[in-house]
Amino acid sequence: MPEAATPPAPAKRVLLAIPRGYCAGVDRAVQTVERALEHYGAPVYVRKQIVHNLYVVRSLEARGAIFVDETDEVPEGAIVVFSAHGVAPEVHTEAAGRGLRTIDATCPLVTKVHQEARRFAAEDYDIVLIGHEGHEEVVGTTGEAPEHIKLVDGPADVAEVEVRDPERVVWLSQTTLSVDETMETVAALQQRFPLLQSPPSDDICYATQNRQAAVKAIAPQAELFLVVGSANSSNSVRMVEVARAAGARQAHLIDSAADIRPEWLAGVTTVGLSSGASVPEVLVREVADWLAARGWSDLQEVTHTEERLTFALPQELRRDLKLAAKR
Ligand code: SF4
């Protein structure tokens, strides 16, 4: 009898998500600090992490950026950049009071949520803001209308929400949440407040939605899903949760290739790979190289959406760059 041929082992592969990494708001914020350093010279102060990624922060520090927690740590008259996550109006007031020269790198899609909060507060609505307590973006948005905003972190919080008039309630959200969990929270809110109004357009931004959708497309085929991103990056953490919910056997958040534990790869044929909106591509390439060196050398890109959106630099910086170009 001829011997049965042993079937070849399935090829180890990496499915790399498109889109991944930098969104338009992060790209603009990082460029803002880089251009400010070139134009004004070091030091340039930055309030909070410009974007939630340690590698980016350290790279900018090496070029002369100084990161501070609050504007009172910035010397009077110095330049300070506000991060992509946005700030409450009182931060602008404090900075003006100390004579700081501010450049506001708040993502325009966060600014849109601030505008919605102001508008609904002016119309005397109670605003249910879905988001994570203490996250810089939530602190900034809440600061626009503290008397009107009630924070809700998820469906479990909905029963506790108190409003003045159930007919004048609107929900808004942080830009970097899980789309599916937010819809569950909204459904629970609608049960309690049938006349609940929705924001005029999605608050969860295009980049968050696209990155989660790309993860969902790959996760069912992946025994291991790696998301490159920092633990304080909301959108990166949500991508790990989405990967698990969509069927990845394991999913982990890693800052870089150095965080990968070899035991995660036991019995794994397909690795899913993506990165949060604040992660530079170099870190993803290092992970792909690390995997290739250990046998996962078949790298296949899986495209969910091609992104083309870009944002202009903050107007105060554009104005100074334009004036300098005329001299
Ligand atoms: Fe803007 Fe979305 Fe990027 Fe946040 S994740 S900076 S809201 S584009």
Side-chain angles (χ1 to χ4, degrees):
M1 276 216 359
E3 277 181 31
T6 316
K12 291 176 176 177
R13 59 179 184 163
V14 176
L15 300 181
L16 184 57
I18 295 178
R20 63 178 179 277
Y22 273 17
C23 59
V26 163
D27 192 39
R28 170 184 188 257
V30 174
Q31 274 196 52
T32 297
V33 179
E34 289 172 347
R35 298 297 298 276
L37 283 164
E38 279 163 25
H39 180 67
Y40 306 107
V44 165
Y45 290 81
V46 183
R47 183 184 177 277
K48 310 282 187 196
Q49 289 192 350
I50 183 73
V51 297
H52 284 155
N53 186 273
L54 211 51
Y55 177 94
V56 173
V57 168
R58 295 281 175 264
S59 310
L60 292 170
E61 272 176 346
R63 296 168 67 171
I66 297 178
F67 289 85
V68 296
D69 259 340
E70 290 304 338
T71 47
D72 61 9
E73 297 164 53
V74 181
E76 289 197 10
I79 293 173
V80 62
V81 178
F82 292 151
S83 79
H85 309 100
V87 296
E90 65 186 35
V91 176
H92 282 283
T93 310
E94 282 160 18
R98 304 197 57 243
L100 305 182
R101 295 158 67 196
T102 58
I103 301 174
D104 189 356
T106 302
C107 175
L109 301 180
V110 174
T111 302
K112 179 191 81 102
V113 182
H114 283 222
Q115 285 162 348
E116 288 167 357
R118 286 201 297 272
R119 188 190 117 199
F120 284 109
E123 293 173 17
D124 207 25
Y125 275 78
D126 279 325
I127 301 165
V128 179
L129 177 64
I130 306 173
H132 301 305
E133 189 167 9
H135 187 280
E136 281 151 41
E137 183 187 322
V138 166
V139 173
T141 306
T142 306
E144 292 287 355
E147 309 293 317
H148 290 259
I149 291 182
K150 329 267 170 197
L151 184 64
V152 159
D153 201 335
D157 286 355
V158 168
E160 309 296 320
V161 177
E162 306 229 343
V163 299
R164 291 166 302 159
D165 177 357
E167 296 192 358
R168 285 184 88 70
V169 187
V170 63
W171 70 273
L172 302 179
S173 88
Q174 191 178 331
T175 55
T176 50
L177 301 181
S178 150
V179 175
D180 296 336
E181 190 185 312
T182 303
M183 287 306 114
E184 277 175 42
T185 310
V186 171
L189 284 166
Q190 279 165 338
Q191 286 273 324
R192 276 208 61 199
F193 310 115
L195 295 177
L196 180 76
Q197 279 206 36
S198 296
S201 61
D202 286 349
D203 286 343
I204 299 182
C205 75
Y206 81 100
T208 300
Q209 296 197 30
N210 288 345
R211 278 153 192 68
Q212 287 176 17
V215 167
K216 263 190 190 175
I218 293 173
Q221 306 165 67
E223 293 97 6
L224 170 66
F225 205 110
L226 297 175
V227 176
V228 187
S230 293
N232 62 343
S233 160
S234 171
N235 81 86
S236 305
V237 175
R238 302 291 84 76
M239 286 165 71
V240 175
E241 294 168 357
V242 166
R244 285 192 192 122
R249 212 166 62 199
Q250 328 165 52
H252 299 286
L253 183 69
I254 52 171
D255 256 311
S256 69
D259 290 346
I260 303 173
R261 295 207 207 132
E263 64 265 29
W264 293 345
L265 290 155
V268 169
T269 303
T270 302
V271 180
L273 179 58
S274 189
S275 56
S278 46
V279 176
E281 184 62 9
V282 61
L283 297 178
V284 178
R285 291 291 155 191
E286 280 174 17
V287 172
D289 290 348
W290 189 99
L291 290 166
R294 286 155 184 83
W296 284 264
S297 51
D298 177 11
L299 185 70
Q300 302 171 19
E301 292 200 308
V302 178
T303 304
H304 173 266
T305 318
E306 302 272 2
E307 290 179 344
R308 293 198 172 77
L309 185 67
T310 56
F311 293 130
L313 290 171
Q315 56 175 357
E316 48 280 41
L317 179 59
R318 268 185 288 144
R319 179 200 58 213
D320 287 358
L321 293 173
K322 212 164 152 188
L323 282 173
K326 280 189 186 156
R327 277 188 215 126

